[in-house]
Amino acid sequence: MRRAGPALALAALLIVVLSACGGPAGADDDGDTVTLRVGATGWQREEALLKFARLDDTPYRVRWSLFQGGDKQLEAVRVGALDVAGSSEIPPVFAAADGRPNFKVVAVQRGTTLNQEVIAPKGSDVTSIAQLKGKKVGYVKNTTAHCFLYELLQQAGLGWDDITATPLEPDKALAALNGGSIDAFAGYGNAITAARQQGGNPGLNRDNPLERHFRDGQCAPVHAPQEDVALLALGSRALEATG
């Protein structure tokens, strides 16, 4: 089992905040109040932090929208549905591929790569990246998971054409993994946490349990489990404790 190399680490280390630059934020019908449309991934972390710091009392309104990933936020920025979004640096690369980006980077935050993982269904005989050859592998397109999977295949001596790469949203990927319609899934954050709680094999890219535990702890600030996932985990632990 190989870990990701320096190229992947660089690709996944940056968290990019973007701001639409095609025009001003929308105004309400009375023309007096500006509404800033802000995207968030996974849960209302940014909104909660602003409230905790008492910085949410602004002269304009803020409308928060939740997305499964930064790639979807970038799509919303491109069509003018968001004014501010946050993602890794991978989605902006794909979003700007046509040479006509309507956004700009306004802030950068460094993060960890340890919340990336490739996971196989429970009972699978796949225990290494090399064994993915000829397999159907789900991944989150135009995200760090996309780059992550490509890099791991390269390290294992495989190319993109050696697998049946299947782009899926995280929730659909979990259903496909549990249903047996894909052989593995490359993802991140709460999607991987949920998959492992539902019986998935440990991540193919990390063979050190301590490293996996550290990754699980580090993923919370970026992709914290949503309420239903957290309740599922707590309920499972409670049932195990009662026998």
Side-chain angles (χ1 to χ4, degrees):
M1 299 182 189
R2 297 181 181 178
R3 68 182 62 187
L8 176 63
L10 177 61
L13 271 175
L14 302 180
I15 303 296
V16 181
V17 180
L18 303 114
S19 177
C21 50
D28 291 344
D29 293 338
D30 57 13
D32 294 331
T33 304
V34 171
T35 298
L36 190 64
R37 302 163 300 176
V38 182
T41 299
W43 70 310
Q44 295 99 326
R45 179 185 60 167
E46 294 86 355
E47 183 179 4
L49 287 174
L50 288 173
K51 288 182 178 179
F52 181 78
R54 299 181 180 179
L55 296 175
D56 58 325
D57 185 13
T58 62
Y60 49 84
R61 295 180 181 177
V62 179
R63 180 185 303 153
W64 296 89
S65 298
L66 297 182
F67 295 82
Q68 291 195 46
D71 56 324
K72 295 303 179 184
Q73 290 191 52
L74 262 293
E75 290 178 12
V77 170
R78 289 302 303 267
V79 299
L82 281 181
D83 301 303
V84 179
S87 78
S88 71
E89 82 284 16
I90 302 300
V93 172
F94 285 98
D98 61 1
R100 298 188 302 273
N102 65 334
F103 56 85
K104 60 184 178 182
V105 177
V106 297
V108 174
Q109 175 185 351
R110 293 189 179 275
T112 178
T113 62
L114 293 180
N115 64 338
Q116 304 286 329
E117 192 168 317
V118 179
I119 196 165
K122 183 178 181 180
S124 172
D125 57 358
V126 176
T127 58
S128 71
I129 297 298
Q131 291 177 320
L132 292 179
K133 185 174 183 178
K135 303 292 187 180
K136 189 173 183 179
V137 184
Y139 69 102
V140 188
K141 187 177 181 180
N142 298 351
T143 67
T144 50
H146 191 161
C147 175
F148 175 72
L149 177 60
Y150 179 84
E151 181 73 13
L152 288 179
L153 291 172
Q154 293 286 308
Q155 292 182 14
L158 301 177
W160 199 251
D161 293 336
D162 288 318
I163 65 171
T164 301
T166 307
L168 292 168
E169 296 303 316
D171 56 343
K172 293 182 175 60
L174 291 179
L177 195 69
N178 292 330
S181 58
I182 59 175
D183 299 298
F185 169 55
Y188 45 74
N190 57 340
I192 290 298
T193 301
R196 291 177 62 217
Q197 289 172 346
Q198 294 169 18
N201 280 345
L204 303 179
N205 64 306
R206 308 291 181 191
D207 56 3
N208 188 326
L210 289 177
E211 197 167 16
R212 289 200 300 270
H213 293 323
F214 178 74
R215 186 236 24 255
D216 290 345
Q218 289 294 308
C219 80
V222 180
H223 291 283
Q226 294 176 331
E227 184 178 358
D228 57 338
V229 176
L231 291 175
L232 176 63
L234 291 172
S236 298
R237 296 295 183 270
L239 289 174
E240 290 173 3
T242 58

